[in-house]
Amino acid sequence: MIFSEFEQKVIWINGIHLELIKIYPKNHIKIITMFKKLLFTLLISVMYISTFAQSPKRGIAYGNNSTADLLALKPGISWWYNWGSLPENDTNANYESIGVEYVPMAWGKISDAEVQAFINRIKPGAKYLLAFNEPNFNDGARLTPQEAVSAWANVEKIAAAKNLEIVSASPAYNGPNNYGGFTDPVAWHNQFFQLCPSCKVDYIAFHTYDNTAGSVIGVTGNLKKFNRPVWVTEFSNRVIQTAAEKTAFMKEVITSFENDPDIYRYSWFTGRPDPAWLDMAENGLLAPQSGVLRPIGTEYINTTYTSKKMNVPGRITANKHYRRKGTGLQNTADSETGQNVCFIETGDWNEFILNVADAGTYNLTFRVASPTIPGKFDILVNNILLKTDETFPATGGYQTYADKLVSGVALPKGEVYLKIKFKSNDVSFNFIDVTAANLGVNDPISEKDFFTVYPNPIKTQSTLHIKSDVTEPLRFRIIDMKGIVCYSSNDHFTNEDIKIGDKLSSGVYIVNAAYGSVRRSIKIIKN
């Protein structure tokens, strides 16, 4: 009998198929041994990995990009936005192949009638939604905090429909020419949260055009009071300067932002400024010709972002986090690190940049303390959840440390982002010692992709996510252990969160996925 690609009674792993054990009962042990080895290979080979020449923080605010422009900027930026809901010009048609994340914006108030159309425009793989642009400017979104709160329900509807995190409105410092009487973005945000403390806002945004780098850095610090990571979605200065002075200003700011764990993302304004803006004549990153960088553009994409990178195997010191939500630092005498991470509350996290020598599984020994209640945390690698609800008992004090071993953490080779998400209060976190457990898998072609189902085992419903360098059509089938196709779909894309499992009965299944020339499989369990 000839079976179709997704109806074969086989398990496909990295292009190798294993006939179901019941077909060849005399080979049980041999096949089980092979299966275990291939499962390890699968775990590593589907781990998303890139050379990551791009800073994950650095982007550009520019409303007239071309594909060539973005490809020129791509070596140093990871995202862009254009104040709209879709990429423009030829970047819209070419978006999947460019490899730079586009972030949509709800520029102003979205009416009830406009919500679904906005949702339909959002590109597959989107992660964030930017909200109202410069609401305290007469030529901006023109929304007082009360008006923004009244319009926020539709922002949340759009985000919920695409599983997006929400970046706040982006007020800026302003003079007499303002809307609603707000000259200070901190004051605007203060009133917004007073009026709606339960509004979903995952990140705080604002714009700054202060004249000096020190002033830009200083006013950015004012936004940290909201205990959310900060997006500086426009920064520059409006000063007539030489090219060298403008470049020096820019580099000083981005060096500070790259080393400040409270800055989640930032974007320079802009690609090509209006020629009439003489105070921004040297601000443009792009030459008049499409796809050509000016010298300041070359400096922007090449300024280092890796000063906090740590080598693995080795010690990850907690106070060297690259990005964070919440948490603080305090002096410690434990293990000569100088400072430990403290003031931890449920939902806080720390993220680290690692340079992993070899792909494989690693053992992570956490140095942690918790005075009275057990500590709990999750581990994410390149923003994919790998370990959940890791716990350790109370240690008796904030500076009474113990070791917590987490074994079998799969890491790809190269630049890796490790996030520790805390699920309990009052934890102190000092370092992680990382040692190799099982190395040797190093396939840079297959390592580009990451295939996950979470949670697995499935209780009611889970999320299937295949992360790849290029967002492209995805076909997948869910097959039970008898080889029967229980579910199939050709309607999704890679880099998309896909809900599965709600219609499955209890049992063991294989998810077979195909996109481009890639074939992947993963075992799932429905309880």
Side-chain angles (χ1 to χ4, degrees):
M1 175 179 279
I2 298 175
F3 294 90
S4 72
E5 175 184 2
F6 290 105
E7 294 172 336
Q8 300 174 66
K9 294 187 178 182
V10 298
I11 302 170
W12 283 89
I13 301 179
N14 284 354
I16 302 171
H17 71 272
L18 300 177
E19 266 102 348
L20 293 176
I21 290 172
K22 69 175 184 179
I23 298 174
Y24 295 112
K26 294 182 180 179
N27 293 327
H28 284 189
I29 296 175
K30 182 178 179 181
I31 292 176
I32 290 170
T33 301
M34 180 186 292
F35 188 73
K36 287 181 178 178
K37 290 180 179 179
L38 287 172
L39 280 179
F40 171 73
T41 301
L42 172 65
L43 180 63
I44 299 298
S45 65
V46 300
M47 178 79 71
Y48 175 76
I49 181 64
S50 165
T51 55
F52 280 112
Q54 306 150 305
S55 160
K57 294 186 180 184
R58 195 171 308 168
I60 184 172
Y62 183 44
N64 196 26
N65 276 307
S66 66
T67 298
D69 289 342
L70 287 173
L71 291 176
L73 291 162
K74 179 179 177 178
I77 71 167
S78 55
W79 69 284
W80 99 96
Y81 79 105
N82 60 1
W83 301 275
S85 57
L86 278 174
E88 76 278 58
N89 302 329
D90 61 344
T91 66
N92 190 28
N94 298 331
Y95 175 67
E96 293 177 5
S97 65
I98 293 172
V100 182
E101 178 191 342
Y102 174 77
V103 181
M105 171 181 268
W107 188 91
K109 181 179 179 179
I110 306 294
S111 70
D112 293 347
E114 296 170 322
V115 168
Q116 190 58 52
F118 193 106
I119 292 169
N120 294 341
R121 290 194 297 271
I122 294 175
K123 291 291 189 181
K127 304 172 186 174
Y128 309 98
L129 176 64
L130 301 170
F132 312 136
N133 186 74
E134 294 185 346
N136 61 326
F137 278 54
N138 286 321
D139 58 354
R142 294 175 61 86
L143 292 168
T144 65
Q146 179 62 71
E147 291 167 335
V149 168
S150 298
W152 203 255
N154 283 344
V155 173
E156 293 191 11
K157 286 179 185 177
I158 293 167
K162 291 293 186 176
N163 194 28
L164 307 178
E165 293 189 295
I166 299 175
V167 184
S168 75
S170 53
Y173 287 97
N174 200 357
N177 183 32
N178 66 69
Y179 178 80
F182 287 89
T183 62
D184 182 342
V186 176
W188 193 99
H189 282 303
N190 276 337
Q191 186 166 339
F192 178 92
F193 286 116
Q194 287 170 2
L195 293 167
C196 190
S198 62
C199 281
K200 178 176 169 54
V201 180
D202 300 295
Y203 304 87
I204 289 290
F206 92 119
H207 297 167
T208 171
Y209 287 87
D210 276 46
N211 288 350
T212 67
S215 184
V216 167
I217 295 164
V219 297
T220 299
N222 296 338
L223 277 296
K224 296 181 181 182
K225 66 168 289 185
F226 298 102
N227 197 35
R228 292 166 171 85
V230 176
W231 289 49
V232 187
T233 44
E234 289 182 29
F235 84 96
S236 189
N237 66 12
R238 303 296 303 261
V239 182
I240 296 176
Q241 291 179 317
T242 66
E245 290 169 332
K246 193 72 76 168
T247 300
F249 160 85
M250 180 196 72
K251 291 182 69 174
E252 184 176 346
V253 173
I254 63 178
T255 298
S256 174
F257 285 173
E258 288 290 349
N259 285 283
D260 186 339
D262 294 314
I263 306 301
Y264 192 81
R265 280 184 168 179
Y266 60 87
S267 50
W268 175 259
F269 183 88
T270 185
R272 297 181 182 93
D274 188 324
W277 299 344
L278 299 181
D279 53 359
M280 300 191 76
E282 298 295 342
N283 284 55
L285 302 183
L286 296 160
Q289 311 95 303
S290 182
V292 177
L293 297 178
R294 298 179 66 241
I296 190 173
T298 301
E299 292 291 338
Y300 188 67
I301 68 172
N302 287 333
T303 300
T304 183
Y305 66 95
T306 59
S307 62
K308 292 189 173 184
K309 186 182 287 189
M310 291 173 279
N311 291 327
V312 167
R315 174 165 292 185
I316 302 169
T317 52
N319 60 27
K320 204 174 178 180
H321 42 263
Y322 179 62
R323 294 192 286 198
R324 69 179 174 186
K325 177 184 182 295
T327 80
L329 294 173
Q330 66 183 177
N331 294 335
T332 182
D334 181 69
S335 303
E336 300 180 352
T337 58
Q339 292 180 311
N340 66 269
V341 170
C342 61
F343 308 134
I344 293 171
E345 297 181 358
T346 299
D348 290 349
W349 49 261
N350 290 148
E351 182 184 54
F352 305 90
I353 306 181
L354 309 181
N355 178 42
V356 180
D358 293 289
T361 56
Y362 289 80
N363 295 330
L364 278 57
T365 302
F366 287 75
R367 189 72 170 162
V368 286
S370 181
T372 59
I373 61 174
K376 183 186 295 185
F377 57 89
D378 292 344
I379 300 174
L380 297 88
V381 173
N382 295 337
N383 220 32
I384 302 297
L385 184 67
L386 289 192
K387 298 284 185 177
T388 186
D389 292 342
E390 294 291 340
T391 60
F392 62 93
T395 62
Y398 289 107
Q399 292 297 316
T400 304
Y401 284 91
D403 292 339
K404 162 63 179 177
L405 174 64
V406 181
S407 58
V409 177
L411 300 176
K413 181 178 179 178
E415 189 166 300
V416 172
Y417 291 83
L418 176 72
K419 181 182 286 186
I420 311 304
K421 187 172 183 180
F422 299 99
K423 302 175 82 170
S424 61
N425 296 335
D426 297 332
V427 174
S428 296
F429 170 37
N430 198 13
F431 61 81
I432 311 168
D433 280 338
V434 184
T435 57
N438 192 350
L439 305 181
V441 178
N442 181 18
D443 179 0
I445 294 176
S446 63
E447 284 175 5
K448 289 189 305 182
D449 311 305
F450 196 131
F451 185 174
T452 59
V453 174
Y454 178 77
N456 187 14
I458 302 169
K459 295 180 180 178
T460 303
Q461 188 180 68
S462 286
T463 299
L464 166 68
H465 188 100
I466 297 180
K467 189 170 184 180
S468 64
D469 287 341
V470 176
T471 298
E472 56 188 319
L474 171 69
R475 295 170 291 142
F476 74 93
R477 306 288 187 270
I478 302 177
I479 302 170
D480 67 15
M481 289 293 98
K482 296 180 181 179
I484 298 172
V485 177
C486 302
Y487 180 81
S488 65
S489 175
N490 298 326
D491 299 329
H492 296 282
F493 292 82
T494 59
N495 300 313
E496 179 183 354
D497 288 335
I498 305 165
K499 300 301 182 183
I500 65 169
D502 55 321
K503 294 180 173 60
L504 296 178
S505 302
S506 297
V508 179
Y509 301 85
I510 299 298
V511 180
N512 283 339
Y515 49 102
S517 61
V518 179
R519 302 292 182 270
R520 292 282 181 261
S521 298
I522 192 170
K523 182 176 77 171
I524 62 173
I525 300 171
K526 176 70 179 289
N527 288 336

